[in-house]
Amino acid sequence: MGGAVSGPGGPRDPGGLALRLRREQEVLARMRGAEDRIADAITAFAGTMQFVYIHAAWFTVWIVCNEGAFGQQAVWDPFPFGLLTMIVSLEAIFLSTFVMVSQNRQAARENVRADLDFETNVRSEVWSIHMGRALGVDPTEVERKVQEVLAENRARMTGSGHSSQ
């Protein structure tokens, strides 16, 4: 072939993959502020067994102290533990909010990736058509064969058809 291609898609970047990954990382970085990093860190910690162990120990100490195991002077929230209930309820509200923030941002990241995947697929299709034409391949015949294969696969997935092979 003629001269070397430089830049995205060139010899050092086959298919423009580095460009796409860099764009994805730039878009995702712009979407992520300090609040998002905090929400992610809290959500990540809340999803660990360490979080469960800390809470189990905290609840145990709270209940044992407030049942009078260390004397009545150590009781600050007697049964039915109203303060503990309020604290746990508030914690649940905040944790669920942090989880929703993280899930919303994850959905936004997935949308960015889907958009970039679509762009990549369109780019690949355009390149394939141009290369096929340059090689003398009939795009209509290729599309007919693609539709045939897709129909066979859909039939197999739904269990309503048999392969023609």
Side-chain angles (χ1 to χ4, degrees):
M1 292 203 158
V5 178
S6 62
R12 291 188 205 127
D13 184 13
L17 182 61
L19 175 65
R20 180 196 167 179
L21 291 176
R22 187 170 46 249
R23 283 188 54 213
E24 182 176 336
Q25 291 165 351
E26 288 169 1
V27 170
L28 295 177
R30 282 194 307 265
M31 292 171 51
R32 192 167 192 228
E35 298 91 0
D36 294 323
R37 286 190 292 276
I38 291 168
D40 282 346
I42 291 170
T43 302
F45 177 67
T48 65
M49 287 306 294
Q50 184 179 8
F51 181 82
V52 173
Y53 299 145
I54 289 170
H55 279 74
W58 172 36
F59 296 154
T60 301
V61 169
W62 188 289
I63 292 169
V64 167
C65 286
N66 285 293
E67 281 296 316
F70 299 109
Q72 286 303 312
Q73 70 277 10
V75 174
W76 68 88
D77 185 25
F79 183 83
F81 315 117
L83 181 60
L84 177 62
T85 302
M86 184 186 70
I87 291 170
V88 170
S89 296
L90 286 171
E91 180 184 38
I93 290 167
F94 281 105
L95 283 177
S96 64
T97 302
F98 289 130
V99 167
M100 287 188 292
V101 166
S102 292
Q103 286 177 337
N104 288 342
R105 223 185 52 268
Q106 179 64 31
R109 281 193 301 258
E110 289 169 6
N111 287 340
V112 167
R113 287 183 180 129
D115 289 346
L116 291 170
D117 284 345
F118 177 75
E119 182 182 304
T120 300
N121 291 339
V122 169
R123 183 175 284 116
S124 295
E125 186 170 352
V126 169
W127 272 99
S128 296
I129 290 170
H130 285 287
M131 288 188 306
R133 284 184 182 152
L135 295 172
V137 176
D138 178 17
T140 307
E141 178 59 26
V142 172
E143 183 60 26
R144 187 194 61 73
K145 183 62 179 173
V146 166
Q147 292 301 324
E148 208 176 275
V149 170
L150 289 174
E152 286 179 14
N153 283 334
R154 283 188 203 108
R156 265 190 241 125
M157 288 172 38
T158 60
S160 63
H162 301 287
S163 173
S164 62
Q165 295 178 350

